[in-house]
Every structure is written in structure tokens, then in C-alpha cells.
Amino acid sequence: MKKLIYILCMLPFFTACEDVVEIDVPTDKPRLSVDALMRINTTEASTSYTAEVRVSASSNFFESIEPVELDLISLTNVETRETINLFNTYNGSGIYQGDTTIDFMTSGELILYMEYQGEQYAARTTYVPTVPIDKLVQGDATLFSGDETEIIVAFKDQPDRTDFYLFDFDFNEYLVTEDTFYPGRTFEFSYFYDDNVTDGMNIEVSIMGVDQSFYNYMNQLIVQSGGDQGPFQTPSATVRGNIVNVTGIEDLSELDDLASIVDQDNFALGYFAVCQTFTNTIAVE
């Protein structure tokens, strides 16, 4: 909103300019775009879990993202050899769901497999644990305009392991951090909201455990978008995730690493990740 105000204020100075300027925008061939971030809340009493994947297609920078119909989509647990199929719950929505269990999602390596327009796509991942949020309070500090809302977050890193974290601050705002400088210690930081937060609003803040590959992927997206873009929206430049084209490969479980064929050009956008997630809510005053 603030950017819009600034632009409107500048319009009177440029009304006399009538030159047409042609700008080359990023273009790309249509690609499958997959939102397969699966958040696992292990604090719930129920052991059931509904896996959900959102699938769409995108081509160039300014075109809208449209949902697509897959020919097949499934999840396989490599360890147990159990496979579940996902179904288009809402016709034409591009949302695919399948019922399974927390144990299925958190034990062993998982393969996401999809068939679309004669091509096959797949990604492999494993469940990544995290730690809960220990502190979520509103502060009174500001940055530049004086109208920002400060939220103070603290958590204690797990010792004796390397951890990567993804924070979801609601409103499609994300932040990544790693424990290089605070291993096994409590880490506290401030996050500032601009003009999208008002008094009385409830904000959900989530911490997710991610591996280094997903950490790097999200870091690239956040840098490209200026921090206001989710992990599965069309980025300003193509950021390659972990979903690759596996057309012609019969047994995916025999491949130790799908990244070995990531140099193929016909890959899909998006990422498949299974993350333990803790969510806290704060009411803005």
C-alpha cells in the first residue's frame, strides 16, 4: 500500500512523458508448479494425517497461475513400501488430498510421484524435526516509518545436531535461519510488520524444521522477492526446487538421489518437504 501511495504522488511529475519504453520481462516455457510443503503437528492427539498437494501451471512473469488436472499423484514410503494415492478433492481446484498417518509421514524416506501430460515428475524427502517457540510477544521498537509492529520470537536450539529453520510469519512472509552462531542456545530476535497488521488482529507464527537444501531454496526465493513471497508463487526468476522429471525411470526407489538427474530442463517448480511444525498465535495490541 505504501508503494502505491509513493507512486501516485510522483505521477504529476511524469504526465508529460509519452515515450513508449519496451521492457524485456522474464519468460519461460509452461511449467508444473507444485506446493507440497507438508506441516506435521506432532502435538495433536490424533495419529491420522491428511496429505495435501496443490498443483498449478505457470509460463511467464505476468501470467496468472492456473490449477491443473494430474493424471496420477501418489506418496510412497520407501521403507515400508506403502503407497497412498491423492485425489482431486475439489474438482478443478488443483488440490489433491489423501488420508494417511503421522507415522507414515515421519518414518523413512518419502517419494512424491506425479503424472501430467505424458510426463512423470518425482521428489524425495524425509521428515525434519524442529523445536517449539518458547517466546512470542509484542515489542514496542520500530524501524524506519515508526509505524511498524515488532514481534519478538525466541526458541532454544537442539544441541548436538545442525539445524535449519523456516519461520512463517503469516501474510506470506517467511524467514530462514540456521544455528551456526547459536548451537544449543536460546536464540531471540525481532520481526517487524509494516502496514498489514492492525490492532486486534491475530497473527499465527510457525517454526518449521527444514533440511539444508530446502533452506537454500527458500533463502533464494526470499532474496528474489524482497521477503514478501511464499515458497510456491511464481518467482521473478526460475528457482529450481527438488521436483525433477523422471519420465522413463521405472523404479524410483532404486535411485539414491533424484538430484543426480536434476540437470534435466523439463523440471517442475516448487518443493516437496515434510516438516515438523509448531504454531503460536499472538493478538496485536
Side-chain angles (χ1 to χ4, degrees):
M1 182 60 71
K2 290 183 179 179
K3 293 179 182 178
L4 178 59
I5 294 173
Y6 297 154
I7 293 172
L8 291 176
C9 290
M10 296 173 64
L11 281 179
F13 297 98
F14 295 98
T15 53
C17 299
E18 297 182 357
D19 291 341
V20 177
V21 178
E22 295 185 359
I23 301 175
D24 292 329
V25 297
T27 59
D28 199 359
K29 64 181 180 181
R31 292 188 184 276
L32 202 64
S33 181
V34 182
D35 175 349
L37 173 57
M38 302 188 184
R39 309 184 187 202
I40 309 296
N41 183 356
T42 55
T43 63
E44 294 181 347
S46 175
T47 59
S48 62
Y49 180 79
T50 300
E52 180 177 290
V53 177
R54 295 173 179 260
V55 188
S56 56
S58 63
S59 53
N60 68 42
F61 186 66
F62 288 113
E63 286 190 2
S64 59
I65 299 176
E66 300 294 337
V68 299
E69 295 286 338
L70 298 177
D71 300 315
L72 176 67
I73 178 171
S74 65
L75 277 175
T76 298
N77 187 303
V78 176
E79 182 177 307
T80 64
R81 295 283 180 172
E82 180 185 357
T83 296
I84 64 166
N85 290 323
L86 278 62
F87 300 96
N88 195 337
T89 309
Y90 312 100
N91 290 334
S93 66
I95 301 174
Y96 291 82
Q97 295 179 331
D99 293 330
T100 183
T101 64
I102 295 291
D103 187 62
F104 175 92
M105 299 297 300
T106 59
S107 302
E109 192 171 28
L110 297 171
I111 295 177
L112 173 67
Y113 175 78
M114 295 166 289
E115 294 183 0
Y116 175 64
Q117 293 186 345
E119 302 286 333
Q120 290 83 47
Y121 301 88
R124 297 177 71 147
T125 195
T126 54
Y127 167 79
V128 182
T130 190
V131 296
I133 297 173
D134 296 325
K135 179 181 180 180
L136 184 65
V137 298
Q138 184 174 346
D140 54 12
T142 60
L143 284 177
F144 306 109
S145 70
D147 296 327
E148 298 90 358
T149 300
E150 180 192 27
I151 298 297
I152 302 172
V153 183
F155 63 96
K156 185 175 182 181
D157 180 65
Q158 183 73 27
D160 303 323
R161 74 183 189 198
T162 301
D163 288 296
F164 299 87
Y165 303 99
L166 170 63
F167 278 89
D168 181 351
F169 284 98
D170 226 341
F171 314 106
N172 247 353
E173 298 188 24
Y174 294 86
L175 176 73
V176 290
T177 180
E178 57 176 312
D179 67 355
T180 301
F181 301 106
Y182 51 88
R185 301 195 299 269
T186 295
F187 181 57
E188 182 173 309
F189 65 96
S190 293
Y191 188 85
F192 292 89
Y193 295 91
D194 200 350
D195 55 0
N196 55 352
V197 169
T198 57
D199 290 349
M201 180 180 292
N202 289 328
I203 301 175
E204 287 191 351
V205 177
S206 299
I207 182 174
M208 288 171 269
V210 299
D211 59 23
Q212 187 172 7
S213 295
F214 192 30
Y215 168 90
N216 291 336
Y217 172 84
M218 282 300 304
N219 192 42
Q220 289 184 63
L221 284 186
I222 292 170
V223 169
Q224 281 194 16
S225 64
D228 59 357
Q229 178 172 290
F232 306 103
Q233 294 175 313
T234 304
S236 55
T238 300
V239 179
R240 180 170 293 187
N242 64 345
I243 303 171
V244 298
N245 192 303
V246 295
T247 303
I249 300 177
E250 296 183 358
D251 190 353
L252 298 178
S253 64
E254 295 299 323
L255 291 175
D256 293 332
D257 185 9
L258 289 179
S260 62
I261 56 173
V262 77
D263 59 343
Q264 293 191 37
D265 183 59
N266 191 16
F267 58 91
L269 297 174
Y271 213 96
F272 172 43
V274 180
C275 312
Q276 185 179 28
T277 305
F278 293 97
T279 301
N280 291 28
T281 302
I282 183 172
V284 177
E285 299 178 355

